Amino acid sequence: MNSKTQTNNRTKPQSTGTALSRRQVLGGGMGLAVGAALGSGVLSARAYAQAGETITVLMSQPQVGGARIVAAAFEAETGVKVEIVPVPLDQIQQQLTLDLQSGAKRFDAFDYWYISKGSLVETGVLEDITDRIEADADEIMPEDFIATVYDPYSLYNDRRYALPFDGDTHALFYNTEIFERNGLTAPKTWDEVITTSEAITKAESANGIYGMALMGIRAPLQNISVFANRLANYGGEFLDADGRPALDSDAALMAAQNLVATVPSALPTPAETGFDQALTAFVGGRAAMTEGWIDLGAYSEDNETSKITGKWDVVQLPVGGSQTESRAPLNAGWALGIAAYGSKKDLAWEFIKLASSAKMHLDLLTTTGSGIDPTRISALTSPEYEAFNARSQRAASASLNGAMAWPTGPQAPRMLESLSEQLAIMISGESTPEEAMELAQKSWERLLR
């Protein structure tokens, strides 16, 4: 599999030492989760009355580890078997559409990247669960979901369609040992990111160490994430208040220009660098900085796969232009919904209730390898999460306040593919920031007519 075909997968990096297998990691976590979920108090009597039944859940690859923990707990508590079907994250919508149109109707529940919400609703795939949420509000505690996550993930035309499973934002991770060696401090602005990266690359590239691992590969989840980090912190938005494309703004242009200016000092070559390459370089001590999801902190402290345990820190995303306060975009983010065409909607509902419950979420959040980041206030602020990874907790607490959502309308998947293409061309040096933003703006205007 070449780098471009695997770019949408977020997987654990290759071991840099004696590997602890994913099975071992999740096996340990699964035991904890099953124990925590027994007598969870969130399931209805109808779940227990259907022991021996089977439900099928379609999951994107990055959330499979967490989903299997939930499935084991659900089976242990109810006797209902859960079949988890993993697929690459960019194939979720394709698989669901095929499942419906072919008449197979195999899947009862599924997770989806929140930007697909409008498209899944309009194609008749995603079930309206507004009434179920209201009926089971005492067990679900919707007020405990982080507001800037809950609405973008689930709300469409004033109705609810999902419950949050994995909350994803970026922060800036850096290697404290490399920084100390070069007399540097964590950058607070995007201009400082460039000068810091340049200084480290100049001093240490001969030893294979670079200032920044930049995810520039063509894949919306990756090269748009690093663009969005800058867009949000130059004061921009993807869409204006009336829902029109805003890629012709000064903030969008400054974000694109900064991204291009970071390329020369970054880990070779940004246009071919995806999540796996950036993560492996950072935990392997070959990149001094990277913009990453919050669970990068857990990977950085994994004694079996990381060479930088105890030698890293994380700060909020830098700011740029006239901005003085950091703001994180919702880069990725996953919700669990029910197949509108399914025949076991009640059991599917019970499964997603357990998966998104406060108790289960905290357990997943504190299990290395689950791939889950905060969606609930109670877990984000808990002493258990602080004990598991205090630095990640601090970064997540700061980044989720007022986070910027990506487009979620029916055309969002096509819009983001178009923007990702233009960013990839720009990062490879085949177009200027001005050309990339102009072409992406025109593409979005055509799609939203």
Side-chain angles (χ1 to χ4, degrees), residues 201 208 210 212-213 263-273 277 286:
T201 297
Y210 294 86
M212 170 69 88
V263 168
S265 64
L267 178 79
T269 55
E272 300 295 330
T273 300
Q277 293 81 13
R286 296 189 295 109

Side-chain angles (χ1 to χ4, degrees), residues 262-320:
T262 308
V263 168
S265 64
L267 178 79
T269 55
E272 300 295 330
T273 300
F275 172 76
D276 288 348
Q277 293 81 13
L279 179 54
T280 301
F282 184 71
V283 301
R286 296 189 295 109
M289 295 182 287
T290 194
E291 301 154 55
W293 286 274
I294 299 301
D295 59 354
L296 177 54
Y299 293 134
S300 298
E301 280 299 286
D302 187 342
N303 288 321
E304 301 296 333
T305 59
S306 173
K307 290 183 176 178
I308 63 168
T309 55
K311 302 175 183 176
W312 63 277
D313 207 339
V314 57
V315 293
Q316 287 181 264
L317 292 172
V319 296

Side-chain angles (χ1 to χ4, degrees), residues 141 232 246 310 327 374 380 394 400 405 433:
M141 298 188 297
R327 185 188 186 202
L380 178 62
R394 186 181 69 240
L400 286 166

Side-chain angles (χ1 to χ4, degrees), residues 415-426:
M415 292 163 62
L416 296 172
E417 284 291 343
S418 173
L419 176 58
S420 180
E421 179 183 15
Q422 294 305 325
L423 290 173
I425 294 170
M426 180 187 76

Side-chain angles (χ1 to χ4, degrees), residues 4-5 7-9 60 87-95 113 220 334 417:
K4 289 189 177 181
T5 59
T7 51
N8 274 332
N9 289 331
S60 56
V87 294
L89 69 87
D90 58 347
Q91 294 181 21
I92 283 280
Q93 186 159 359
Q94 177 185 353
Q95 289 286 329
W113 184 12
W334 303 88
E417 284 291 343

Side-chain angles (χ1 to χ4, degrees), residues 74 81 87 120 139 154 156 173 208 253 255 275 289 325 442:
F74 192 74
K81 183 174 176 57
V87 294
L120 291 169
E139 294 83 13
S154 68
Y156 184 73
F173 291 78
L253 180 58
F275 172 76
M289 295 182 287
E325 294 188 9
K442 289 181 177 177

